[in-house]
Amino acid sequence: MSMPHDTFECGHTLEELSLYLDTGEFADPPHLQSCPECRNGLDSLRRLSAAGNELFASDVAAAGSGTDDWMKDILANLTLELRPGRTIPLRSEDPADSLSETEGAVIALVRSVADNLPGAVAGRVRLDGDVTVPGEPVTVRLDLAVLFGRHLLDSAASLRQDVADALARHTELNIAAIDITITDVIDAPREEQ
Amino acid sequence: MTTPLKNVIMAVDGVTEVFPARSLWQRLPARAMSVLQRPGAEPEDGELVDVRDLDGRTEVTVRVGVSAAARTPDVVRGVAAAVRKHLAPAEVSVKVTVARVAAADPVPAGSRHG
């Protein structure tokens, strides 16, 4: 699979994670237990691979080739998103405490919700707004690649609600809007006549 | 102190894992020093829970993973309360960061096309 080579903060790459999923080989196996960013990356790659198999059930090899533009975009975005990012505060009961979650954890959460939508794969995920200030309005921008023939409006409405529910459960962000953009409509390969 | 504290944190409902409190690049100098001081020894991994004494106040830093089925803000406040209770009557400040929200079980490697 053609993979971006950008390294994460921990020094590893999406390509190494992909190789690990395929072969089990990794230079520092204990690191995969202790690095949340690599764990999130492995989750995303597994879902992406499963989605690829679903979308191209008739041509599994093509799904894993990484030559499709939509998959290249997703992989490039993953590299950017698998970083801790900004610090998102959470209310504490003691003023001496400092409670927070990473932007990377929240983006990975949104991505996992989107990837659960049948026939869809999350592309770029962004939190627009100052997430570091409690109460500031934040807009979630989510790009999707969907399989041709799906009812997009129904899917988008359902996904918007699922993302809103997940963010309400796991963050204290003031979500002003969830903007979903279908950036790719994937036409599954047809069998030759 | 660190190991029991990790157990206290893991016992909080919704916590799935405790990650090293400091990221790898912050831990590298200590790992390098460990190797220099004990040639041939494997470098030690960073402590999962960072506990420091700052002017009589105990500062605890921890990074956790939270279950997707839990409510993250409640879990994080529960972690802070559990740490404070464990270290009572010490004056404590707790820094908790959620680095991952997901199911607990990792999928084995080499299974992508399985």
Side-chain angles (χ1 to χ4, degrees):
Chain A
M1 181 183 287
S2 172
M3 295 292 233
H5 294 276
D6 305 72
T7 50
F8 308 143
E9 284 191 9
C10 64
H12 293 286
T13 66
L14 204 58
E15 187 172 31
E16 289 176 85
L17 297 183
S18 178
L19 183 67
Y20 171 72
L21 285 181
D22 283 336
T23 67
E25 294 175 7
F26 195 79
D28 181 14
H31 173 79
L32 295 177
Q33 293 300 318
S34 65
C35 178
E37 286 76 35
C38 282
R39 297 281 294 278
N40 286 334
L42 288 171
D43 284 351
S44 294
L45 285 176
R46 281 192 286 263
R47 288 194 305 268
L48 183 59
S49 179
N53 290 344
E54 177 195 353
L55 297 176
F56 297 104
S58 62
D59 188 355
V60 174
S65 69
T67 56
D68 309 273
D69 287 343
W70 65 273
M71 190 170 279
K72 279 184 178 176
D73 288 345
I74 290 169
L75 291 171
N77 284 317
L78 262 183
T79 303
L80 290 175
E81 292 166 12
L82 292 174
R83 301 171 191 279
R86 294 174 287 180
T87 298
I88 302 175
L90 297 166
R91 283 192 304 273
S92 64
E93 291 172 341
D94 190 304
D97 293 344
S98 172
L99 312 181
S100 64
E101 54 197 335
T102 65
E103 183 179 24
V106 174
I107 284 178
L109 172 69
V110 172
R111 179 176 288 282
S112 71
V113 172
D115 286 345
N116 282 333
L117 186 70
V121 182
R124 191 176 68 161
V125 182
R126 292 287 183 274
L127 303 178
D128 281 354
D130 192 349
V131 297
T132 65
V133 178
E136 281 291 299
V138 173
T139 296
V140 180
R141 301 196 193 281
L142 168 60
D143 293 348
L144 276 186
V146 299
L147 186 63
F148 177 79
R150 297 278 173 173
H151 295 284
L152 300 182
L153 289 179
D154 290 347
S155 298
S158 171
L159 176 58
R160 185 177 287 111
Q161 188 58 53
D162 289 346
V163 170
D165 290 347
L167 291 172
R169 172 175 284 271
H170 291 288
T171 76
E172 293 174 341
L173 290 170
N174 173 19
I175 302 298
I178 298 172
D179 292 344
I180 298 173
T181 305
I182 309 295
T183 53
D184 290 283
V185 177
I186 305 160
D187 194 4
R190 293 174 177 78
E191 292 187 13
E192 304 239 348
Q193 297 297 315
Chain B
M1 181 185 291
T2 296
T3 300
L5 199 47
K6 183 210 169 188
N7 294 342
V8 166
I9 293 164
M10 284 298 294
V12 174
D13 197 25
V15 173
T16 56
E17 47 207 324
V18 179
F19 297 111
R22 291 177 292 159
S23 57
L24 183 63
W25 66 269
Q26 292 173 307
R27 305 197 312 270
L28 280 176
R31 294 185 76 175
M33 186 62 71
S34 171
V35 171
L36 288 174
Q37 290 174 341
R38 293 183 297 129
E42 285 294 315
E44 293 178 0
D45 205 347
E47 290 188 343
L48 290 177
V49 183
D50 192 56
V51 182
R52 299 176 186 214
D53 183 57
L54 295 175
D55 299 327
R57 172 187 286 269
T58 302
E59 187 177 271
V60 179
T61 303
V62 58
R63 285 198 305 168
V64 297
V66 173
S67 165
R71 297 186 70 87
T72 292
D74 293 344
V75 174
V76 171
R77 285 189 278 270
V79 169
V83 169
R84 178 165 282 103
K85 181 180 177 185
H86 181 72
L87 297 177
E91 190 179 350
V92 177
S93 63
V94 188
K95 181 179 180 182
V96 185
T97 303
V98 175
R100 175 171 156 84
V101 180
D105 300 329
V107 175
S111 61
R112 175 148 57 176
H113 303 297

